[in-house]
Amino acid sequence: MAVRATQGLPRPWRVEVTGRSMLPTLHPGDRLLVMRGRTPRVGDLVVVRLPDRPLSVKRAGARDDDGWWVESDNPGEGTDSWTIGRPVPPEDVEGVVVWRYRPLRRTRRRA
């Protein structure tokens, strides 16, 4: 996923989905607006730093003293708290997804 961050006040930054770990919610090529400085709620989509991985979009699950338990919507794909065996520390939660802005419509190809 590609990320473009901004400086200064919390402003939206853009993320492009490249993997399949969030299917069926997000598809490769979807574009997202992410806000830094927002506190996630259970069920929110968040951009996180996972060990030895690029930035990833995951679903925020339970919160405990050690951080956020994050999960893929597609359990057979990608890396999440289940595969690393621990929650993501709060400082590794980069932002909360606030909008999917592209593609606005998906079309199905006919054979």
Side-chain angles (χ1 to χ4, degrees), residues 24-95:
T25 307
L26 300 174
H27 295 259
D30 283 356
R31 307 268 188 342
L32 311 172
L33 288 178
V34 179
M35 287 294 290
R36 287 184 197 254
R38 286 204 177 176
T39 301
R41 294 178 292 182
V42 172
D44 281 350
L45 297 179
V46 293
V47 175
V48 297
R49 292 189 182 281
L50 296 172
D52 302 319
R53 299 280 181 196
L55 289 176
S56 300
V57 177
K58 301 297 173 194
R59 188 165 305 279
R63 166 75 200 228
D64 65 18
D65 293 338
D66 295 326
W68 284 95
W69 192 267
V70 296
E71 298 179 335
S72 301
D73 282 359
N74 182 2
E77 296 277 338
T79 302
D80 59 15
S81 289
W82 290 103
T83 55
I84 63 172
R86 64 177 173 80
V88 173
E91 62 271 13
D92 289 341
V93 177
E94 293 291 323

Side-chain angles (χ1 to χ4, degrees), residues 11-33:
R11 294 192 337 204
W13 47 288
R14 296 176 282 186
V15 173
E16 180 178 352
V17 176
T18 60
R20 300 169 38 91
S21 70
M22 291 305 292
L23 287 172
T25 307
L26 300 174
H27 295 259
D30 283 356
R31 307 268 188 342
L32 311 172
L33 288 178

